Amino acid sequence: MKRNIRNYDLNDLKQEMIRIEEKPFRAEQIFKWLNQEKVMDFSEMTNLSLDLRKKLEDNYRIGTFQMEHKLVSKDGTKKYLFNLCDVENNLIETVLMKYHHGYTICISSQVGCKMGCKFCASTGIPFVRNLEAGEIVEQIIAVEREEKIRISNIVFMGIGEPLDNFENVMKAIEIINHPKGLNIGARHISISTSGLVPKIYELANRQMQCTLSISLHSSNNKTRSAMMPINQTYPIEELIKACQYYIQKTNKRISFEYALAKDNNDHEEDAKALVKLLKGMLAHVNLIPINPIEEGKYHKSTNENILNFRDYLNAHGIVATIRRELGSDIEAACGQLRRQNLSKNKR
Ligand code: SAH
């Protein structure tokens, strides 16, 4: 297969131009055609010579996705099933949500996931591969083209663990963030992680301006390890230490995700432990009523418990909000995405 030209950031494209014996300034024109005009064919790049267009056509392809399905929720949330059109016809899911401040897209970073969180629908479905930078970016471009909209916020909260696909995610962010690329400010991009501690240090050292979300879900190692096997490798103390380093380095607030499950992590003593853990940190807590998955043993907390939990945190100096649930009727809510049971040609 020809190389996917979407995988390149502006610097890479300059190198590519040199490689194919073209002037490096062409890179910027091509980069804009790809990411600002969002063209799908080299023939549309009308400020390039016919020869160059032909050369590009012979050497590269522009993405590959095919939209297999689109589901629309009664709340307006949309879920897309994309066929990556790779050798295995792998499928990934992407979700678009409309908020009063604009559109937020929830994108996938891997085909499958290795983390095995017990409450997540991606669990039990084998990991296949990392998404390439171009495949991460193409989710945004495909949805913007389909809906004729401009997306303002990006969350890496779809399928996969973004920090387990570090370099490709960083490259994708470079393309998304670049003023001549998608031009979406770093502050409008959130990376969510189950807690890959060494990668949190790396992010901090890169001074990334994105928002970091930590999927915490419990302040107790026993409960957290039962929910998230990654906690056995990087327990809460190490995770918090990495978060403190991140805050100190970037001066940015961290968002802690906490999915409330009935009688598992939703009692007052859990709230108390969370306050103790996060006290004094530049942090915000996002409470999510857990979405039960079929094979899971976790059940949604009662509304009363959710409100009490939030009120306890707020009364004790921790800013906490309850995340509005969107798209649950089309299985597009938190943790409901899967890469489909099998890739398309095996169904
Ligand atoms: N691997 C990354 C990003 C993908 S998950 C991470 O772990 O953060 C995105 C968010 O959805 C995470 O906070 C995750 O813990 C949460 N989530 C997963 N399954 C869920 C479920 N069933 N109910 C509520 N939130 C869930």
Side-chain angles (χ1 to χ4, degrees):
M1 223 196 261
K2 287 186 245 175
R3 299 168 191 230
N4 182 1
I5 198 162
R6 285 206 188 284
N7 282 335
Y8 303 123
D9 65 19
L10 187 52
N11 280 332
D12 300 335
L13 261 184
K14 286 184 184 153
Q15 295 308 315
E16 282 299 305
M17 289 305 110
I18 295 167
R19 196 179 66 81
I20 63 168
E21 295 171 349
E22 289 291 336
K23 296 262 181 354
F25 80 90
R26 295 288 178 203
E28 195 171 305
Q29 294 175 312
I30 298 168
F31 195 64
K32 283 185 177 166
W33 279 117
L34 291 172
N35 298 300
Q36 303 206 324
E37 304 303 327
K38 303 178 176 75
V39 302
M40 295 303 285
D41 203 297
F42 292 109
S43 65
E44 294 174 68
M45 300 186 174
T46 46
N47 60 356
L48 307 181
S49 69
L50 287 174
D51 279 355
L52 176 53
R53 287 185 234 168
K54 168 89 172 49
K55 201 168 183 181
L56 293 172
E57 184 71 54
D58 292 342
N59 281 279
Y60 308 100
R61 64 194 157 88
I62 303 180
T64 49
F65 285 11
Q66 249 172 37
M67 193 186 294
E68 293 268 333
H69 277 305
K70 168 169 149 182
L71 291 172
V72 182
S73 156
K74 50 184 190 301
D75 65 31
T77 299
K78 294 174 182 159
K79 181 169 83 169
Y80 311 85
L81 180 67
F82 289 117
N83 185 335
L84 302 181
C85 298
D86 50 359
V87 182
E88 296 164 305
N89 276 321
N90 280 305
L91 302 168
I92 55 162
E93 293 187 336
T94 304
V95 175
L96 179 70
M97 293 159 287
K98 190 164 192 238
Y99 291 101
H100 57 271
H101 55 266
Y103 288 99
T104 295
I105 191 171
C106 175
I107 56 178
S108 295
S109 55
Q110 296 178 316
V111 182
C113 186
K114 296 180 209 158
M115 297 301 123
C117 298
K118 296 288 185 279
F119 50 89
C120 177
S122 295
T123 286
I125 306 167
F127 172 79
V128 179
R129 69 171 174 85
N130 284 329
L131 291 186
E132 295 174 355
E135 292 171 326
I136 295 171
V137 173
E138 194 173 343
Q139 295 172 65
I140 305 162
I141 290 177
V143 170
E144 286 195 337
R145 280 180 63 99
E146 166 73 14
E147 305 297 339
K148 302 184 180 58
I149 55 163
R150 182 92 170 90
I151 285 165
S152 47
N153 289 282
I154 297 175
V155 296
F156 279 85
M157 293 192 183
I159 303 164
E161 167 51 54
L163 298 191
D164 185 39
N165 183 15
F166 197 80
E167 289 310 326
N168 290 339
V169 166
M170 292 301 117
K171 178 132 308 187
I173 290 176
E174 168 67 27
I175 298 168
I176 293 166
N177 188 219
H178 199 288
K180 293 185 173 122
L182 289 174
N183 194 19
I184 297 177
R187 282 176 184 78
H188 299 273
I189 305 171
S190 293
I191 302 179
S192 181
T193 180
S194 56
L196 295 193
V197 165
K199 298 294 176 190
I200 295 173
Y201 284 102
E202 213 171 318
L203 263 188
N205 290 335
R206 287 199 190 201
Q207 299 277 346
M208 287 288 297
Q209 288 304 305
C210 301
T211 303
L212 179 62
S213 288
I214 304 284
S215 299
L216 184 65
H217 305 319
S218 173
S219 338
N220 170 305
N221 276 320
K222 192 159 165 254
T223 309
R224 190 168 191 268
S225 291
M227 298 175 84
M228 309 174 71
I230 185 76
N231 194 64
Q232 289 157 26
T233 313
Y234 304 115
I236 294 170
E237 306 71 57
E238 285 184 35
L239 178 57
I240 295 296
K241 225 193 274 168
C243 290
Q244 282 162 340
Y245 180 81
Y246 179 90
I247 293 169
Q248 184 212 329
K249 269 285 203 205
T250 62
N251 208 18
K252 286 186 62 73
R253 185 170 79 160
I254 292 185
S255 175
F256 288 90
E257 309 291 307
Y258 196 105
L260 289 156
K262 192 164 183 283
D263 298 330
N264 171 65
N265 60 355
D266 69 338
H267 290 175
E268 188 172 306
E269 68 206 59
D270 301 298
K272 206 182 248 177
L274 186 56
V275 169
K276 196 164 160 229
L277 188 72
L278 301 184
K279 196 86 194 170
M281 260 174 104
L282 198 54
H284 171 266
V285 174
N286 234 325
L287 298 169
I288 319 163
I290 208 162
N291 277 303
I293 53 168
E294 241 172 64
E295 60 268 41
K297 60 172 181 168
Y298 297 103
H299 306 283
K300 210 167 248 177
S301 294
T302 60
N303 279 345
E304 193 190 349
N305 276 8
I306 295 171
L307 294 174
N308 286 343
F309 202 95
R310 179 199 61 191
D311 293 345
Y312 187 94
L313 296 180
N314 284 334
H316 292 81
I318 306 282
V319 184
T321 46
I322 300 171
R323 186 184 292 163
R324 197 154 63 92
E325 274 187 279
L326 291 174
S328 51
D329 56 329
I330 54 166
E331 300 222 318
C334 296
Q336 291 188 323
L337 303 188
R338 39 180 90 234
R339 69 162 175 90
Q340 298 295 307
N341 290 332
L342 290 166
S343 56
K344 195 183 170 221
N345 54 8
K346 293 184 203 139
R347 266 189 294 178

